Amino acid sequence: MRAVDCIVKKRDGGSLTRDELDWLIDGYTAGRIGDEQMAAWAMAVVLRGMDDRETADLTLAMARSGDQLDVHDIAPLTVDKHSTGGIGDKTSLVVAPLVAAAGMPVAKMSGRGLGFSGGTIDKLESIPGFRAELATAEFRAVLRQTGLVIAAQSADLAPADRRLYALRDVTGTVESLPLIAASIMSKKLAAGADCIVLDVKCGAGAFMTTLADARRLAATMVAIGRHAGRRITAVISSMAQPLGSMVGNALEVREALATLRGHGPAELVELCLTLGSELAVLAGRCADHATARDLLRATLASGAAWRAFRGMVVAQGGDPAVLDDPARLPRAPHQLLVTAPRPGIVQAIDGAALGHVVNRLGGGRSRKGAAIDHAVGLEMLVRLGDALDAGAPLLRIHAAGPAAAAAEVPALLAAITIGTAPVAVPPLILELVR
Ligand code: URA
């Protein structure tokens, strides 16, 4: 077989066989196929798509590209949550400790920033000392010690996704339903969770901008998970505007810490309770969703979720002083307030455009493996439907310097549409796929 033949076949709209996909993924993982050919193949998939059989075969090939974890000797049942990517989406930082503290061990593999969206691993690495690159033995040790572990794909677990994910980030090949489904589900299958809840984002700040596409992605991933014998549901949630007010790595950690302390924005808390209660019911921890929400609310209020997060951070080498005093998280040296150019009502917020701004400020990568600036980002000061006077605060830029901040003002003003029509704000939870 030759990689170029697989690329041409997909470029011309063909379906790759299971053998071809296994060969391609094995070759890429082993380094026999290089980034240039894999990027060309990924672009062909973006443009031509994949059928359901190919998507499932790709997922399984990626899940098998390294070790497949079995942690049942440590925890009889583990749970996991994964988002398809959004703006300001710090949900994993809250849901994972919340459900772990409520008695459901979490063994989670997460990603770094991808395209215009941020990633849980980059966010956690804002905490000085935090180590996300764990070998399988360490992953298991942290789970045993704390009941909660969040790690990047290692050389051992789903390494094909680790390489392909970083490549897609910088080659314009993120927005593809089969590539997203295979990326997420390969990690989930390899990490061995028994119960999985997927947060499928939909809207201007997500890779799926229409409800029809979000439904297809949710259904594809749920089918793959069920086929692999996992208990799995999906929540389709709105990305018509950023989740919470902070966008950017350290800023989002700060907001997640406030949420774990009981001071989170209402919509973030609501989404975390919804996702967490799905897991509690899947895991058989609670008989119904109402009971599960009560349990999770009490877990948050008691400080147990906060303590679970702290325990995990310490076990993974992070500096606990930063958690006790979030003012010690990395801070950008320059802040610039952007104000409304005219009076009116906030009609639309282009989340993808906000994400691109954060990347240009240094919060994301333009080259594979590049270092990022954890401190930069945006603090949103308006929500959809807000009525504003001219000159009212819209958002605050956190940047490395005045020139970097000023350069983004036109893009930010263009990302927030102010008009006169009344606005119907979509509900946060659009659909449940159980
Ligand atoms: N999250 C992932 O892990 N992979 C994707 O492709 C998108 C979101």
Side-chain angles (χ1 to χ4, degrees), residues 82-86 109-112 114 117-118 153 161 165 168 173-185 187-188 207 217:
H82 204 93
S83 158
T84 58
M109 243 199 280
S110 286
R112 298 182 183 281
L114 185 66
S117 76
Q153 297 103 300
D161 181 55
Y165 187 100
R168 288 168 57 218
T173 52
V174 173
E175 288 88 345
S176 155
L177 190 153
L179 293 182
I180 294 173
S183 164
I184 292 178
M185 291 310 297
K187 280 192 283 281
K188 300 302 95 178
F207 300 124
L217 178 57

Side-chain angles (χ1 to χ4, degrees), residues 146-306:
T146 69
L148 169 62
V149 55
I150 304 181
Q153 297 103 300
S154 65
D156 305 341
L157 299 174
D161 181 55
R162 172 196 175 96
R163 289 196 67 192
L164 189 54
Y165 187 100
L167 186 67
R168 288 168 57 218
D169 182 35
V170 295
T171 54
T173 52
V174 173
E175 288 88 345
S176 155
L177 190 153
L179 293 182
I180 294 173
S183 164
I184 292 178
M185 291 310 297
S186 64
K187 280 192 283 281
K188 300 302 95 178
L189 299 186
D194 303 285
C195 306
I196 301 164
V197 65
L198 302 168
D199 182 9
V200 177
K201 301 289 192 190
C202 174
F207 300 124
M208 300 294 123
T209 52
T210 67
L211 189 54
D213 283 346
R215 277 188 188 131
R216 268 188 58 223
L217 178 57
T220 303
M221 292 193 292
V222 166
I224 292 171
R226 282 218 183 109
H227 189 71
R230 310 300 164 93
R231 301 181 209 170
I232 179 165
T233 63
V235 173
I236 302 181
S237 68
S238 171
M239 254 295 138
Q241 56 186 332
L243 187 63
S245 52
M246 299 300 193
V247 186
N249 296 297
L251 290 169
E252 292 189 40
V253 171
R254 199 182 304 173
E255 194 165 47
L257 292 175
T259 306
L260 287 166
R261 291 277 199 195
H263 312 297
E267 72 275 13
L268 175 59
V269 175
E270 173 56 28
L271 183 57
C272 292
L273 293 176
T274 302
L275 294 166
S277 62
E278 290 294 317
L279 285 174
V281 172
L282 283 180
R285 176 79 177 81
C286 297
D288 57 64
H289 294 89
T291 314
R293 289 173 78 90
D294 289 346
L295 169 70
L296 296 175
R297 262 199 212 95
T299 306
L300 203 52
S302 69
W306 153 257

Side-chain angles (χ1 to χ4, degrees), residues 298-351:
T299 306
L300 203 52
S302 69
W306 153 257
R307 287 191 294 278
F309 185 73
R310 194 177 189 284
M312 175 198 73
V313 167
V314 171
Q316 294 186 223
D319 179 0
V322 165
L323 305 188
D324 298 331
D325 177 12
R328 298 167 81 145
L329 279 162
R331 267 179 182 272
H334 187 77
Q335 299 187 3
L336 178 65
L337 186 68
V338 180
T339 56
R342 58 185 163 279
I345 299 171
V346 179
Q347 310 277 312
I349 300 180
D350 181 347

